Amino acid sequence: MVARIIPVDPFDLVIFGGTGDLARRKILPGLYRRLADGQMPAEARVIGAARSESDDDGFRALVREALDEFLPAEQRDEETIAQFLSQISYVQVDATGENGWDDLRAHMREGVIRAFYFSVAPSLFGPIAERLNARGIADETSRIVAEKPFGKDLESARELNRNLAAHFDESQIYRIDHYLGKETVQNLMAVRFGNMLFEPLWNNKYIDHIQITVAETVGVGGRGEYYDRSGAMRDMVQNHMLQLLCLIAMEPPSRFEPDSVRDEKLKVIRALDSVDPREIVRGQYSAADGQPSYRQDVGDPASKTECFVAMRVGISNWRWNGTPFYIRTGKRLKARASEIAVVFKAAPHNIFEEDHGLHSNVLSIRLQPNEGMELGVTIKEPGPGGMRLLDVPLDMSFAEALGPDAAEAPDAYERLIMDVIRGNQTLFMRGDEVEAAWAWTDPLIGGWEGRGDTPMPYDQGSAGPDDALMLMHRDGRRWREIRA
C-alpha cells in the first residue's frame, strides 16, 4: 500500500538552535525525508539560526554530516541531498541580544508561510518571540514551534505561556510533543472513533483497567545533570504519558479539528483524581556488571530524583469512575517498549467445565518498537479432549498488514513539522492543557519532596522495583510483561 503524499505550500522555516543535537538528529533528517518523498516543495527554505559563527557553506557541511550520521544509507540519495542543501542557509543570531536579527529579516520572503522552530532552552522562548515581533520578522500568519519542557512546574508554565502570548496568538503557537506524532497514537483515535466495534465497550462497564508503559533500556547517559533536576515525573509522566492517557480516556469530539480534540483532552486532565502516596512507586537503578548506578550517572550519591515511576490513577467521570489507569516508565529496564494495554473484563460466568479460569480480552497498542496492535481473544484449544480454552493474539503489525511502506512511515517529528506548515494544531498541546497537567502533577511532586521520600533501588534489566509489582498485586492484577 503506497501512502498518498500531498505537498505542502512553500515555506520559510527558521530553526533556532539549528546547530544543536535535536536539529541534527531529528529535524534536519526529517525535513530531508519529506523532500525525498515529495512533500516538502523545492520552493521551501530552511534557515539555521544559532550563536555559532558560521556561514551558509559551514552550516550545509554540518547538515551533510547529520544526514550521513542519522539517515540509513539506503535513504541517502546524492541528487536529493544536493537539492536539500541548496535550500538551506544560515544566520548567526544572538537570541538575547541585538545581533543578527536584521540579517534574519532580510532572509525572509514575502508570500510564503513563515515558521520558527524554538529548538532551544525554554528560557530563550520569550526573548526570541519578542525580537521576532519587534523586528518585523514574524506577522499574524507566522507560526512558532515550542519544544518541551514547557516549564518545570505550574508557575513556570504560566510564565512561559504569558511570554509567548504577549507576542503570538494561541492559534500561532505549536507546543510539540513528539509522542502525539507517532503513527500508532493517531491510530488509537481511528480505532476508537472509526469503528463501532470498540466505542460501545470503551467504558467502566466493560474495561477492567488500562496499563500505559514506556520502558527504556538506556540510562540517563549524558543528560544526567538535566535529568536529575527533572526526574521521570516531569520528563515523561507530566507530558508524554498524560497525553496518551487523554487520548485513551477522552470523549468523542464533535469533529476531528484542533480545538474540539483538545477540549476533550483538557476535560480528562481536569477529571484526574489526586493520587494517594501509597499508590506511587519511585525508583532508581542500581549498579550492576560494571554499569554505573543512577546516582553515579548523575554524580550525586544522595540524589532523591526518580528515574522510574509507577502509579495508579483514577478519573472521576461517568465513563471511567472505578476503572484504574496504571502508569509506569523507567530507565535501564529489561526491554525498550512503549505499550498501551486495554484489559477488558472477564466474562461474568464460565460455562465450560473443562476450563477452570475466566478469560479476558486485551487490546494492546504498541507504540515502539514494531508499531502495531494486537487483540487477544479466547478460542478452543485444537484437538480432542473437551472444550479447553486458549488465549491467542490477533496481531496487526503495520509492516505486515500494510506492506513495507508502512514500516517506513514518517518519523513523528516529520509529521508534526508538516502539520505546522499546514496550520493544523490537532496534535499539539494548548496552553491551558499544559497548565492543567502541571496543576495535577505539582502536588504529587511536592508531596514526596516534602516527605523526603527516597526512591527504591531496582536491578538493571528488571521490570522496576518490587513495590511496583505489589501496586498491581494488591488490586488482584499484574503488569504485562515488558517485551520489545
Side-chain angles (χ1 to χ4, degrees):
M1 181 179 295
V2 178
R4 186 163 59 100
I5 302 296
I6 303 175
V8 299
D9 293 332
F11 60 85
D12 284 349
L13 173 63
V14 179
I15 306 173
F16 290 99
T19 60
D21 183 70
L22 179 63
R24 295 177 61 253
R25 185 180 300 271
K26 290 290 186 180
I27 301 173
L28 292 164
L31 288 168
Y32 165 82
R33 283 191 289 262
R34 292 303 87 222
L35 178 68
D37 281 354
Q39 193 168 27
M40 174 176 159
E43 299 84 5
R45 293 197 311 174
V46 179
I47 303 165
R51 295 183 62 180
S52 307
E53 186 174 344
S54 187
D55 56 17
D56 291 350
D57 290 338
F59 185 58
R60 287 169 183 153
L62 180 146
V63 173
R64 177 62 202 247
E65 291 174 1
L67 298 182
D68 289 341
E69 183 176 358
F70 298 111
L71 280 176
E74 63 271 15
Q75 292 185 10
R76 299 196 296 266
D77 174 76
E78 289 303 318
E79 184 176 341
T80 309
I81 289 176
Q83 172 64 38
F84 184 60
L85 295 178
S86 73
Q87 297 177 235
I88 285 176
S89 57
Y90 182 80
V91 178
Q92 184 179 359
V93 175
D94 182 357
T96 59
E98 304 306 318
N99 294 332
W101 294 98
D102 290 339
D103 290 340
L104 180 59
R105 184 177 63 229
H107 273 67
M108 309 307 293
R109 297 175 294 172
E110 297 294 333
V112 300
I113 296 165
R114 296 182 183 183
F116 304 90
Y117 199 121
F118 293 3
S119 182
V120 295
S123 60
L124 298 178
F125 289 2
I128 292 175
E130 178 184 358
R131 285 161 177 77
L132 287 175
N133 263 347
R135 297 303 183 99
I137 301 170
D139 58 27
E140 64 277 1
T141 66
S142 299
R143 295 116 197 218
I144 62 171
V145 184
E147 186 66 48
K148 84 174 191 75
F150 310 115
K152 62 179 182 179
D153 53 23
L154 177 58
E155 184 50 44
S156 60
R158 284 174 172 164
E159 180 64 21
L160 190 59
N161 282 337
R162 283 194 293 265
N163 288 338
L164 295 178
H167 307 288
F168 291 91
D169 186 78
E170 180 65 34
S171 64
Q172 298 176 274
I173 303 171
Y174 293 71
R175 298 170 186 83
I176 192 167
D177 183 336
H178 72 273
Y179 261 63
L180 297 186
K182 291 181 178 293
E183 191 72 32
T184 324
V185 172
Q186 295 175 71
N187 258 301
L188 172 60
M189 289 189 283
V191 166
R192 277 199 61 191
F193 305 130
N195 296 280
M196 192 63 181
L197 174 64
F198 290 112
E199 184 55 28
L201 308 178
W202 212 262
N203 54 58
N204 55 9
K205 183 177 180 181
Y206 297 103
I207 293 178
D208 180 77
H209 72 279
I210 293 172
Q211 300 180 26
I212 306 174
T213 296
V214 178
E216 300 179 81
T217 56
V218 298
V220 296
R223 302 174 67 216
E225 183 179 350
Y226 158 77
Y227 196 93
D228 203 46
R229 294 195 305 268
S230 61
M233 190 68 176
R234 289 187 174 98
D235 188 56
M236 287 296 298
V237 175
Q238 184 273 337
N239 41 74
H240 298 326
M241 302 193 77
L242 272 192
Q243 286 296 305
L244 296 178
L245 185 150
C246 286
L247 293 178
I248 299 166
M250 62 188 268
E251 295 296 318
S254 58
R255 58 186 65 84
F256 190 64
E257 64 179 25
D259 278 334
S260 292
V261 172
R262 296 189 294 181
D263 285 347
E264 298 303 335
K265 289 197 295 176
L266 180 61
K267 292 176 186 177
V268 173
I269 298 174
R270 288 177 172 168
L272 292 175
D273 295 334
S274 58
V275 182
D276 189 300
R278 293 169 296 182
E279 304 288 354
I280 303 174
V281 178
R282 300 164 63 238
Q284 295 175 342
Y285 54 83
S286 306
D289 299 328
Q291 293 292 328
S293 68
Y294 171 81
R295 291 182 174 184
Q296 289 171 322
D297 272 343
V298 301
D300 182 357
S303 172
K304 293 185 177 182
T305 301
E306 77 287 346
C307 61
F308 174 97
V309 64
M311 65 178 69
R312 183 185 195 272
V313 180
I315 301 177
S316 288
N317 61 22
W318 278 37
R319 182 183 289 265
W320 295 114
N321 190 49
T323 297
F325 288 68
Y326 297 94
I327 294 173
R328 64 174 169 172
T329 183
K331 303 283 190 183
R332 294 284 189 198
L333 298 179
K334 63 188 301 183
R336 173 179 175 264
S338 296
E339 179 192 68
I340 301 167
V342 181
V343 182
F344 290 87
K345 292 181 177 179
H349 173 63
N350 189 354
I351 66 173
F352 304 107
E353 294 182 359
E354 295 88 347
D355 187 73
H356 300 290
L358 294 177
H359 299 259
S360 61
N361 305 114
V362 179
L363 175 64
S364 168
I365 301 142
R366 299 188 302 271
L367 308 181
Q368 63 182 22
N370 188 27
E371 293 187 350
M373 300 187 187
E374 179 181 291
L375 177 62
V377 296
T378 302
I379 65 169
K380 176 190 176 296
E381 184 177 342
M387 185 66 74
R388 297 186 304 275
L389 303 186
L390 179 69
D391 294 329
V392 297
L394 296 178
D395 192 351
M396 191 201 81
S397 167
F398 288 167
E400 294 176 5
L402 304 178
D405 286 341
E408 299 178 4
D411 177 81
Y413 277 97
E414 299 173 44
R415 177 179 291 103
L416 293 173
I417 291 173
M418 291 299 101
D419 278 354
V420 172
I421 303 305
R422 294 191 192 93
N424 185 350
Q425 290 183 305
T426 304
L427 299 175
F428 297 83
M429 298 169 68
R430 203 167 58 192
D432 54 0
E433 196 179 341
V434 172
E435 292 182 15
W438 279 119
W440 177 78
T441 305
D442 275 0
L444 306 183
I445 298 174
W448 66 60
E449 288 181 346
R451 294 187 300 270
D453 294 353
T454 299
M456 299 174 179
Y458 63 90
D459 293 335
Q460 298 187 32
S462 71
D466 290 342
D467 277 34
L469 304 178
M470 294 305 301
L471 180 67
M472 295 282 278
H473 288 170
R474 288 197 302 266
D475 293 344
R477 303 181 177 101
R478 63 181 181 179
W479 291 106
R480 285 169 56 83
E481 181 182 357
I482 298 175
R483 54 189 175 91

